[in-house]
């Protein structure tokens, strides 16, 4: 591989650039730069040649034309091993460029601004940057292309250790990253401009919940041992640090595909609560959930609802895990735990379990599209962020819920949203008692939820993710001890269901909101 002797630097994000450039200069590299980048380097005490000196042509059109020139492009694209290429450079007195350090105009940052005018969006579409990046990446065997500040230190270290030469592997890895950079950039432009219409009267921004172009462009963060089953390959892809995909693992075995799916279900559920809460998830369904005055009490209440299913489950907490709660958790075999943080004493207790996976999670539930693959394509929908709304909920029975029933109904409604359909939740204030999940018949969910309950259902409330199509569901719930029901309503048989509730003497609330979860 050729030694790096001549470097072109032109960046928007100048983080870490000056130390990198000083390191290159110390290795004897000639530095070529443009505009603000050149000024920053000179202000930092470095000798820099302007691109205009190389091209013999001034920057023009408010900086739109700087590096788009044969003397730059040829210096990047010429293949050193092709005599005709090198002869052409010699004929036109063009020197080779061995490294291109470029990052792009911050289009995504501008696009994220509320009300950013189209003119500003257009001006932040980089032309010269992607051109140089792609040219250098195409000629990766001769030119190193650097698009991320994360690579500055490793590159300097390798150059220093190898007499100014980068390995072929490094060149290739940098080129792959470069193509991913321009692909992501183009995808961001495509997605944003897809929502803008132009007509005779000017520009209009069409706000759409679902984009006209779905771009899923995120790097592979981690290869997983396998998928849902050992014969399936799997990996985690993520671009940020929020949520389960961006969680930080503190201890334990490698996270599996199923761990991550269950942790995500647990985290989404736990984010529903403002008071200390704990949730135990098994196969994406909550087998225990509680919201109490203290975290340890929430955990105890969550555990006692279904101690059999709790074994080998995944836990989530919405508070920093403390010593007392950790002592309780340590009595049970758990696969993984997600929490915002852990006290030092809690970590000491839990890390005594060698295989227990402990992760910290930042942020709540993101307001972003939920994407699911199907054969031949993708489905996308806005996230289910609907909560109980007193303004739209209405009591449809003769009897009003008691104050205690109201507390239980609102709690059960939060949990029911995270149980697979058909979903039935038996609850009391701040505690899930039992649930019937994923049944083909709602009345079966009512029966199964009661049958597997280890706690008394006398005086409980029932939450249903969708309407009851017949009176048999509420009748079964009441027979099992329920005194109040919360459901969306909307069945053609609502009248019959309400009449049954009145006959049974229970309270019933219609929310007007359905929470199917498939």
């Amino acid at each position: 591989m050729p030694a790096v002797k001549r470097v072109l630097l032109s960046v928007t994000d100048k983080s870490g650039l000056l130390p990198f450039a000083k390191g290159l200069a110390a290795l004897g590299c000639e530095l070529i730069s443009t505009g603000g980048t050149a000024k920053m380097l000179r202000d930092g005490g470095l000798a820099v040649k302007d691109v205009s000196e190389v091209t013999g042509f001034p920057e023009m059109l408010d900086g739109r034309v700087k590096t788009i020139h044969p003397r730059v492009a040829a210096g990047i694209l010429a293949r050193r091993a092709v005599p005709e290429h090198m002869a052409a450079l010699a004929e036109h007195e063009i020197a080779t460029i061995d490294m291109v350090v470029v990052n792009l105009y911050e289009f995504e940052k501008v696009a994220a601004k509320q009300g950013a005018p189209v003119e500003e969006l257009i001006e932040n579409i980089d032309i010269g940057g992607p051109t140089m990046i792609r040219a250098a990446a195409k000629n990766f065997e001769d030119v190193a292309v650097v698009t991320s500040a994360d690579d500055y230190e490793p590159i300097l270290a390798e150059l220093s250790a190898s007499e100014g030469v980068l390995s072929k592997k490094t060149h290739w890895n940098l080129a792959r990253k470069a193509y991913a950079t321009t692909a992501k950039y183009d995808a961001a432009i495509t997605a944003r401009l897809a929502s803008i219409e132009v007509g005779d009267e000017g520009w209009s921004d069409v706000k759409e919940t679902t984009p006209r172009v779905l771009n899923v462009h995120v790097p592979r963060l981690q290869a997983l041992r396998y998928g849902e089953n050992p014969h399936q390959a799997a990996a985690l892809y993520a671009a940020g640090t929020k949520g389960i995909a961006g969680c930080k693992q503190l201890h334990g075995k490698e996270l599996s595909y199923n761990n991550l799916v269950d942790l995500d279900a647990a985290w989404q559920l736990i984010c529903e609560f403002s008071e200390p809460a704990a949730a135990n998830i098994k196969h994406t369904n909550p087998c225990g959930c509680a919201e109490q005055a203290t975290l340890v009490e929430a955990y105890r209440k969550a555990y006692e609802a279904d101690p059999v299913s709790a074994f080998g489950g995944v836990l989530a907490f919405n508070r920093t895990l403390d010593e007392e709660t950790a002592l309780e958790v340590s009595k049970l075999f758990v696969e993984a735990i997600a929490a915002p943080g852990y006290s030092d004493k809690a970590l000491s207790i839990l890390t005594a379990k060698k295989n227990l996976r402990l992760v910290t999670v930042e942020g709540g539930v993101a307001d972003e599209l939920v994407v699911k693959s199907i054969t031949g394509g993708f489905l996308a929908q806005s996230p289910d962020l609907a909560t109980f709304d007193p303004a739209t909920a209405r009591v449809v029975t003769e009897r009003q819920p008691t104050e205690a029933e109201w507390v239980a109904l609102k709690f059960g409604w939060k949990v029911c949203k995270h149980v697979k359909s058909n979903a039935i939740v038996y609850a009391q204030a701040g505690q899930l008692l039992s649930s019937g999940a994923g049944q083909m018949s709602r009345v079966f969910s009512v029966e199964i939820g009661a049958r597997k309950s280890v706690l008394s259902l006398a005086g409980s409330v029932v939450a249903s993710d969708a309407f009851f199509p017949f009176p048999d569901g509420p009748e079964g719930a009441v027979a099992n001890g329920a005194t109040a029901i919360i459901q969306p309503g909307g069945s053609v048989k609502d009248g019959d269901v309400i009449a049954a509730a009145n006959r049974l003497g229970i309270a019933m609330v219609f929310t007007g909101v359905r929470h199917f979860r498939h």
Side-chain angles (χ1 to χ4, degrees):
M1 305 302 290
V4 177
K5 297 178 181 177
R6 201 158 177 257
V7 182
L8 173 60
L9 307 99
S10 181
V11 298
T12 299
D13 179 3
K14 297 174 176 57
S15 303
L17 183 68
L18 186 57
F20 182 52
K22 286 183 176 180
L24 292 172
L27 291 168
C29 297
E30 178 187 0
L31 306 182
I32 306 166
S33 193
T34 62
T37 304
K39 182 180 184 304
M40 187 201 77
L41 297 178
R42 286 196 184 98
D43 290 346
L46 292 171
V48 181
K49 180 181 284 189
D50 284 320
V51 164
S52 58
E53 293 181 59
V54 174
T55 63
F57 205 86
E59 294 184 14
M60 62 183 298
L61 306 182
D62 298 320
R64 282 190 169 199
V65 177
K66 289 181 290 191
T67 56
I68 301 176
H69 194 281
R71 289 189 173 275
V72 174
I76 295 171
L77 284 166
R79 296 175 62 189
R80 314 305 194 254
V82 178
E84 293 81 3
H85 284 199
M86 301 312 293
L89 291 190
E91 178 184 353
H92 296 285
E93 299 181 342
I94 297 174
T96 57
I97 294 172
D98 309 304
M99 179 183 288
V100 171
V101 183
V102 173
N103 56 51
L104 306 173
Y105 293 171
E106 296 177 320
F107 179 86
E108 289 177 272
K109 185 176 180 180
V110 175
K113 287 167 52 179
Q114 189 71 25
V118 171
E119 291 78 8
E120 185 178 2
L121 291 170
I122 297 301
E123 285 307 311
N124 277 278
I125 296 176
D126 204 324
I127 303 300
T131 301
M132 286 190 291
I133 289 173
R134 292 178 66 86
K138 178 172 182 174
N139 200 23
F140 75 92
E141 289 188 288
D142 295 319
V143 182
V145 53
V146 185
T147 56
S148 170
D150 293 340
D151 293 315
Y152 291 170
E153 287 189 20
I155 286 172
L156 280 181
E158 186 174 342
L159 289 172
S160 299
S162 306
E163 299 182 349
V165 176
L166 295 174
S167 69
K168 189 170 185 177
K169 181 178 180 180
T170 297
H171 275 251
W172 178 238
N173 288 337
L174 290 171
R176 291 195 298 186
K177 183 179 286 190
Y179 282 124
T181 297
T182 56
K184 182 182 178 183
Y185 194 72
D186 287 340
I189 295 169
T190 301
R192 182 65 186 92
L193 298 190
S195 65
I196 297 174
E197 296 290 351
V198 60
D200 294 338
E201 297 180 0
W203 308 94
S204 60
D205 204 349
V206 182
K207 298 296 183 184
E208 296 180 314
T209 304
T210 52
R212 299 185 187 188
V213 178
L214 178 63
N215 286 300
V216 182
H217 187 92
V218 291
R220 187 178 70 185
L221 192 65
Q222 179 183 354
L224 304 173
R225 287 184 300 164
Y226 52 80
E228 284 184 289
N229 300 291
H231 60 274
Q232 296 173 266
L236 170 64
Y237 296 82
T241 60
K242 304 295 184 182
I244 292 299
C247 71
K248 181 180 179 182
Q249 186 169 357
L250 305 180
H251 177 72
K253 292 168 59 177
E254 179 185 350
L255 288 165
S256 72
Y257 181 97
N258 292 334
N259 289 154
L260 289 164
V261 171
D262 282 340
L263 281 167
D264 188 53
W267 187 251
Q268 289 188 48
L269 171 56
I270 213 67
C271 286
E272 296 281 353
F273 304 104
S274 56
E275 297 302 313
N280 193 325
I281 294 291
K282 203 71 172 288
H283 305 304
T284 72
N285 278 306
C287 57
C289 183
E291 181 183 37
Q292 299 291 314
T294 65
L295 201 64
V296 68
E297 188 60 22
Y299 171 71
R300 289 183 182 127
K301 291 283 188 182
Y303 171 74
E304 71 179 5
D306 192 350
V308 173
S309 298
F311 182 86
V314 162
L315 298 175
F317 299 89
N318 66 350
R319 296 286 194 280
T320 295
L321 203 62
D322 55 71
E323 179 184 9
E324 190 177 6
T325 308
L327 284 169
E328 288 293 318
V329 171
S330 67
K331 300 174 184 177
L332 177 70
F333 168 64
V334 177
E335 288 280 358
I337 301 175
Y342 302 81
S343 72
D344 290 341
K345 289 186 177 179
L347 272 179
S348 177
I349 293 164
L350 296 173
T351 53
K353 290 178 173 284
K354 180 180 178 181
N355 294 328
L356 173 58
R357 303 160 176 92
L358 302 177
V359 303
T360 57
V361 191
E362 293 182 25
V365 178
D367 182 7
E368 56 191 19
L369 281 181
V370 178
V371 180
K372 182 178 182 178
S373 63
I374 59 173
T375 306
F378 298 89
L379 294 171
Q381 63 176 348
S382 59
D384 185 359
L385 302 178
T387 57
F388 179 83
D389 186 355
T392 56
R394 58 193 179 96
V395 179
V396 295
T397 49
E398 295 167 358
R399 182 168 85 75
Q400 296 282 322
T402 66
E403 186 175 341
E405 285 173 337
W406 268 121
V407 174
L409 287 168
K410 292 175 184 178
F411 174 84
W413 187 241
K414 290 178 180 180
V415 177
C416 188
K417 173 180 170 181
H418 297 270
V419 177
K420 291 296 180 72
S421 301
N422 284 316
I424 291 292
V425 161
Y426 289 88
Q428 62 185 13
Q431 184 182 26
L432 167 66
L433 299 176
S434 186
S435 63
Q439 300 305 305
M440 288 66 76
S441 164
R442 191 159 302 278
V443 72
F444 287 170
S445 290
V446 171
E447 294 174 6
I448 289 171
R451 190 182 306 163
K452 72 183 187 68
S453 176
V454 298
L455 298 173
S456 172
L457 300 182
S460 65
V461 304
V462 161
S464 174
D465 66 335
F467 62 68
F468 284 101
F470 303 103
D472 54 359
E475 288 169 349
V478 172
N480 293 320
T483 61
I485 291 175
I486 187 168
Q487 59 137 320
S491 168
V492 294
K493 298 282 189 177
D494 274 349
D496 294 347
V497 172
I498 294 169
N502 285 328
R503 173 171 49 81
L504 295 165
I506 65 169
M508 183 177 289
V509 177
F510 280 7
T511 64
V513 175
R514 191 181 74 184
H515 282 310
F516 269 167
R517 191 174 184 88
H518 287 89

